[in-house]
Amino acid sequence: MYVCNGRFCILKELTTNNEVELFRMMIQHSDEYRQTVSDAPIPSLMSMFQEKLQIWFRNGRNYQFLIYSKKHFLSGTIFLYGWNKQTRIVKCSCFFTPNKRKELLTTESLGLVISFAFHFMNIESIYFDVYEDNSEMQKLAHRIGGKKLGCRKS
């Protein structure tokens, strides 16, 4: 299991030991998650969620991390998917709980996952898939040096 430590946050790779925390967070923040990451419904039962995770990883999700504050509160998740080893490109998507979105841990956690992608996956480019009305994520991507190529329709 990969663990990335920063000054404001800790990223822990998603495993069968911590997936229940992700499930609880996604259920608790399902409306926000659907508005900012995916409009697909969140499974309401843990067994259904585990099946969904298996499908996501079978269909191209490469790594997923849980984001914890230094006080060990789950603050979000970041996942890397669609890794093309030939072009050395991967896509990234993330979700932060509403109370953490404007804290430094959001920027730091993206920096940590970008560093992970460059060092462990040998990536040259990372694409962020962001809804056009998700202005907070667009600002965050810009702050970390991202260039806007377009936006996904809501």
Side-chain angles (χ1 to χ4, degrees):
M1 175 174 83
Y2 289 105
V3 176
C4 306
N5 284 295
R7 185 171 180 200
F8 303 103
C9 68
I10 301 166
L11 302 184
K12 293 183 181 179
E13 188 176 6
L14 182 67
T15 67
T16 54
N17 294 330
N18 61 16
E19 65 189 11
V20 70
E21 291 180 77
L22 176 63
F23 173 69
R24 288 179 185 148
M25 180 189 70
M26 289 179 70
I27 292 295
Q28 181 180 358
H29 299 287
S30 61
D31 290 340
E32 295 95 345
Y33 189 86
R34 292 185 72 191
Q35 291 170 359
T36 59
V37 178
S38 172
D39 57 3
I42 309 283
S44 57
L45 299 173
M46 183 62 191
S47 59
M48 293 167 54
F49 182 71
Q50 289 169 318
E51 289 173 15
K52 191 70 162 173
L53 281 175
Q54 289 176 3
I55 292 168
W56 288 338
F57 279 97
R58 213 175 20 247
N59 292 333
R61 188 166 294 188
N62 304 109
Y63 291 97
Q64 183 156 357
F65 295 92
L66 299 182
I67 306 161
Y68 295 90
S69 69
K70 282 295 186 165
K71 295 181 180 178
H72 304 285
F73 293 113
L74 183 58
S75 303
T77 186
I78 296 179
F79 52 93
L80 299 167
Y81 63 101
W83 181 10
N84 185 322
K85 293 180 182 180
Q86 290 178 313
T87 59
R88 297 173 59 194
I89 294 171
V90 72
K91 294 179 183 176
C92 180
S93 192
C94 58
F95 173 77
F96 300 99
T97 58
N99 62 327
K100 295 294 183 184
R101 288 190 185 142
K102 295 188 182 202
E103 292 189 13
L104 290 174
L105 75 81
T106 58
T107 306
E108 182 181 61
S109 62
L110 285 173
L112 289 170
V113 85
I114 288 169
S115 180
F116 173 86
F118 283 120
H119 290 94
F120 291 98
M121 298 171 73
N122 198 26
I123 294 300
E124 286 186 356
S125 296
I126 298 175
Y127 292 149
F128 290 91
D129 195 7
V130 180
Y131 283 135
E132 66 182 350
D133 59 352
N134 188 349
S135 60
E136 287 186 36
M137 185 59 203
Q138 289 181 39
K139 288 177 194 173
L140 183 57
H142 180 73
R143 267 198 314 258
I144 61 170
K147 295 178 184 172
K148 186 174 181 178
L149 302 175
C151 282
R152 187 168 63 157
K153 298 283 183 196
S154 300

